[in-house]
Amino acid sequence: MAILGNIIKGIIHASDMVSPDLNAVKQQKQVLKDLLESAQNTQFGKQYQFDKILLAEKTEKDFRAKVPFFDYDQIRKKWWHLVHKGEENITWPGKPDYFALSSGTTGKTSKRIPVTNAMIKSIRKAGIQQVLALRNFDLPSDFFEKEIMMLGSSTDLEEHNDALEGEISGISASNIPFWFQNYYKPGNEIAKIDDWDKRVQHIAEKAKEWDIGALSGIPSWMELMLQKVIEHHNAKNIHEIWPNLQVYTSGGVAFGPYEKSFNALLGKPITVIDTYLASEGFMAFQQRPETGAMKLVTNNGIYFEFIPFKPEYIQSDGSLVQDAPSLTIAEVELHQDYVLVISTVAGAWRYLIGDTIEFTDIDRAEIKITGRTKFFLNTVGSQLSVNKLNDAVKHLEQKYDIQIPEYTLCANRIEDDFYHSWYLGTSSKIDETQLAIALDDFLKHANKNYKVARSKALEGVKVNTILPSVFYDWNAANKKKGGQVKMERVMGEERFAEWKEFADNQG
């Protein structure tokens, strides 16, 4: 067994940076205190009296009382438009060196989210914690000598107002520490190529020169890259090209819908590890193999709050009502849906990131993502989270032995009745009426609110099957290929009409 691999593995096992014994409640109290102290002399800190909050007997309670919730549009209009202009000391000391561009999954217009040096350090520290957690996964020593393919957006960042702009994966990759450079693939030269298809073509051409042990990236684009590499080398599966591939670090979206199609590209099973890296920060990672849940990073520049995910607290545009109750990590309960709100070292304050989560283990601060606030399908009282939609699609894959890596749907009115109209991305030929019945039956049994809705306002389910490539073409036409781009799972009627026209024309 390789000496270097044994040394690295030994260092990882000896490290105490990741420990299940750390107290998340105490860590979060300290993080909030550090954030308030750092930002008390900014314009935001003065406006909301951070100095007085720090003196309060119950800092967390006073923070909740004094500082309002913000979604991106709200904080941009009131505060970040000044940061975008290059002004200093607005919501965080100094001014950010980077802005993460993110169109998310709900629109074409890019958000410009500040990324400070403190946030770069936070992301890097969380990444190290994740690497150290690999000690729990019983990987062989020689794994730690292999190269890692990080498939993100271009690292060729654009300069604007003395700051660099790009997607968070590109910003992170451009800040890889020097000691990691020899392990990182596709390397700086290829990573700078902005055109997705050209970048993947270069990866395919170089693939056999690399000894890849791990992959990292969003599942949909990772699948397309692997397909291209396999096709270019006329191989049966990716292990014929990279025989030592053992780990895939997934992120951006739930891996479940992609599991079957992803595994079809492999020659042997690999370890899949979930991560939660957003434009706003590195939130969580899977720390142990016994669960698919992820551990919140509670000691690293991000303070978390949790709002019960109830219709009365969510406005029609997905934002929060200002009197919605928020809970600390000491107050949450198991298996309840919460809207995630964060305050960070990048100057986001009580910021609605747009995701919903539930706790699977409170002592370990382990969560799983259940959906998006804007993707919660409740038009006619069906109360379906993305998590439940993913489960339904996985049920279809198992029942009919097919692959459905992509889907989207809308609760839309047809004549005078509401239907859930689904588009399923699959290469299999299967009766659409059968799929609609199976979807409907599964959701009736899995969700009581859906069952009630089906007996009242929700008339039925309609299904259209199309090739998965249509979803990627839609993203390319509306945003761009690769990087952080994700398919919207639930659409409003106006957006769905655009999608329907596009998808139907592809046929």
Side-chain angles (χ1 to χ4, degrees), residues 427-450:
S427 302
S428 302
K429 299 294 182 184
I430 188 163
D431 183 71
E432 293 172 341
T433 302
Q434 265 188 288
L435 291 172
I437 293 170
L439 268 175
D440 193 34
D441 287 345
F442 177 87
L443 289 171
K444 282 177 183 175
H445 286 94
N447 187 297
K448 63 182 180 182
N449 293 305
Y450 177 87

Side-chain angles (χ1 to χ4, degrees), residues 23-261:
N23 188 310
V25 174
K26 289 182 180 178
Q27 288 177 339
Q28 281 286 275
K29 287 183 177 180
Q30 186 61 49
V31 166
L32 178 59
K33 182 173 179 287
D34 292 342
L35 290 172
L36 294 170
E37 287 178 346
S38 296
Q40 62 182 319
N41 293 320
T42 63
Q43 289 188 34
F44 192 96
K46 291 175 181 177
Q47 166 98 13
Y48 294 108
Q49 301 178 318
F50 282 8
D51 54 346
K52 292 183 180 178
I53 295 175
L54 283 163
L55 295 173
E57 185 178 342
K58 295 184 177 180
T59 303
E60 291 167 312
K61 183 177 180 181
D62 210 42
F63 177 66
R64 286 183 285 196
K66 281 189 167 66
V67 182
F69 296 121
F70 293 92
D71 63 14
Y72 174 78
D73 288 332
Q74 290 164 340
I75 200 168
R76 176 185 60 81
K77 289 175 183 176
K78 191 161 185 179
W79 297 100
W80 281 355
H81 73 281
L82 300 172
V83 182
H84 294 158
K85 291 176 183 176
E87 295 191 25
E88 297 184 354
N89 303 319
I90 305 302
T91 61
W92 193 253
K95 57 183 180 180
D97 288 331
Y98 300 92
F99 286 96
L101 303 182
S102 171
S103 60
T105 46
T106 54
K108 300 177 185 178
T109 303
S110 282
K111 299 175 182 178
R112 299 177 68 234
I113 297 165
V115 180
T116 60
N117 281 330
M119 178 54 74
I120 293 290
K121 291 177 183 176
S122 170
I123 292 172
R124 187 179 295 173
K125 182 180 175 183
I128 292 171
Q129 289 185 35
Q130 183 187 11
V131 170
L132 294 174
L134 290 174
R135 66 187 177 187
N136 300 323
F137 287 83
D138 194 28
L139 296 165
S141 295
D142 60 359
F143 167 78
F144 297 96
E145 290 189 312
K146 305 306 178 187
E147 295 161 329
I148 300 176
M149 169 64 68
M150 297 174 63
L151 189 69
S153 54
S154 171
T155 58
D156 189 18
L157 308 176
E158 295 185 7
E159 188 170 351
H160 182 75
N161 277 354
D162 296 324
L164 296 174
E165 299 183 344
E167 292 182 8
I168 192 64
S169 57
I171 293 172
S172 299
S174 68
N175 281 277
I176 285 174
F178 73 92
W179 53 266
F180 187 64
Q181 293 290 343
N182 289 336
Y183 295 93
Y184 165 59
K185 298 300 175 196
N188 292 329
E189 187 175 338
I190 294 176
K192 284 184 177 180
I193 299 172
D194 187 54
D195 185 281
W196 162 260
D197 293 311
K198 290 180 181 177
R199 195 177 342 140
V200 170
Q201 180 61 35
H202 278 73
I203 290 171
E205 292 168 1
K206 288 274 192 178
K208 280 199 170 181
E209 299 176 20
W210 303 326
D211 188 6
I212 301 296
L215 304 170
S216 177
I218 288 179
S220 55
W221 303 112
M222 186 61 69
E223 277 194 26
L224 289 180
M225 183 275 287
L226 294 178
Q227 289 168 0
K228 183 67 176 178
V229 172
I230 292 168
E231 177 187 319
H232 182 82
H233 295 281
N234 196 27
K236 293 179 181 177
N237 58 67
I238 196 60
H239 278 107
E240 291 188 1
I241 313 299
W242 296 326
N244 294 310
L245 175 62
Q246 297 183 64
V247 171
Y248 169 43
T249 302
S250 177
V253 295
F255 180 67
Y258 301 93
E259 184 176 8
K260 194 166 186 178
S261 55

Side-chain angles (χ1 to χ4, degrees), residues 429-486:
K429 299 294 182 184
I430 188 163
D431 183 71
E432 293 172 341
T433 302
Q434 265 188 288
L435 291 172
I437 293 170
L439 268 175
D440 193 34
D441 287 345
F442 177 87
L443 289 171
K444 282 177 183 175
H445 286 94
N447 187 297
K448 63 182 180 182
N449 293 305
Y450 177 87
K451 186 175 182 179
V452 171
R454 281 290 284 113
S455 68
K456 296 180 179 179
L458 184 60
E459 184 65 24
V461 173
K462 294 182 179 294
V463 167
N464 290 281
T465 57
I466 55 175
L467 292 173
S469 59
V470 177
F471 292 86
Y472 309 133
D473 292 341
W474 164 262
N475 280 332
N478 283 270
K479 303 161 191 171
K480 60 187 295 187
K481 284 186 174 181
Q484 302 297 112
V485 175
K486 295 162 279 189

Side-chain angles (χ1 to χ4, degrees), residues 229-490:
V229 172
I230 292 168
E231 177 187 319
H232 182 82
H233 295 281
N234 196 27
K236 293 179 181 177
N237 58 67
I238 196 60
H239 278 107
E240 291 188 1
I241 313 299
W242 296 326
N244 294 310
L245 175 62
Q246 297 183 64
V247 171
Y248 169 43
T249 302
S250 177
V253 295
F255 180 67
Y258 301 93
E259 184 176 8
K260 194 166 186 178
S261 55
F262 185 89
N263 287 342
L265 302 173
L266 307 177
K268 55 188 175 183
I270 65 174
T271 299
V272 178
I273 301 174
D274 268 330
T275 62
Y276 185 6
L277 172 62
S279 298
E280 294 84 359
F282 200 148
M283 311 293 171
F285 59 86
Q286 185 181 342
Q287 184 175 261
R288 55 197 182 101
E290 310 93 89
T291 176
M294 297 177 288
K295 181 190 182 302
L296 283 174
V297 184
T298 53
N299 61 346
N300 193 26
I302 301 177
Y303 178 71
F304 299 100
E305 296 176 75
F306 311 93
I307 288 76
F309 189 31
K310 297 182 178 179
E312 59 264 35
Y313 302 145
I314 311 295
Q315 302 192 81
S316 58
D317 62 356
S319 63
L320 292 169
V321 299
Q322 284 300 331
D323 61 353
S326 77
L327 306 177
T328 67
I329 201 166
E331 300 166 322
V332 295
E333 297 178 0
L334 284 175
H335 308 304
Q336 301 293 318
D337 280 337
Y338 294 107
V339 178
L340 189 62
V341 167
I342 60 173
S343 300
T344 77
V345 290
W349 295 102
R350 307 201 78 204
Y351 180 91
L352 175 66
I353 195 170
D355 291 322
T356 60
I357 62 98
E358 71 170 73
F359 278 85
T360 59
D361 189 316
I362 294 174
D363 291 338
R364 288 190 172 97
E366 287 181 341
I367 64 161
K368 64 179 180 180
I369 300 171
T370 56
R372 299 278 294 170
T373 55
K374 291 185 179 180
F375 291 175
F376 185 61
L377 195 60
N378 194 34
T379 307
V380 287
S382 53
Q383 295 193 26
L384 290 174
S385 67
V386 171
N387 205 36
K388 282 287 187 288
L389 302 177
N390 287 343
D391 289 346
V393 171
K394 197 165 186 176
H395 169 72
L396 293 184
E397 289 185 317
Q398 293 169 347
K399 181 178 177 68
Y400 295 105
D401 192 23
I402 58 176
Q403 297 173 13
I404 310 173
E406 296 289 357
Y407 71 87
T408 193
L409 72 152
C410 173
N412 63 330
R413 190 186 295 273
I414 301 174
E415 295 179 352
D416 291 326
D417 297 311
F418 273 104
Y419 289 82
H420 280 181
S421 296
W422 291 70
Y423 276 80
L424 302 176
T426 180
S427 302
S428 302
K429 299 294 182 184
I430 188 163
D431 183 71
E432 293 172 341
T433 302
Q434 265 188 288
L435 291 172
I437 293 170
L439 268 175
D440 193 34
D441 287 345
F442 177 87
L443 289 171
K444 282 177 183 175
H445 286 94
N447 187 297
K448 63 182 180 182
N449 293 305
Y450 177 87
K451 186 175 182 179
V452 171
R454 281 290 284 113
S455 68
K456 296 180 179 179
L458 184 60
E459 184 65 24
V461 173
K462 294 182 179 294
V463 167
N464 290 281
T465 57
I466 55 175
L467 292 173
S469 59
V470 177
F471 292 86
Y472 309 133
D473 292 341
W474 164 262
N475 280 332
N478 283 270
K479 303 161 191 171
K480 60 187 295 187
K481 284 186 174 181
Q484 302 297 112
V485 175
K486 295 162 279 189
M487 182 65 197
E488 52 259 71
R489 294 306 191 197
V490 176

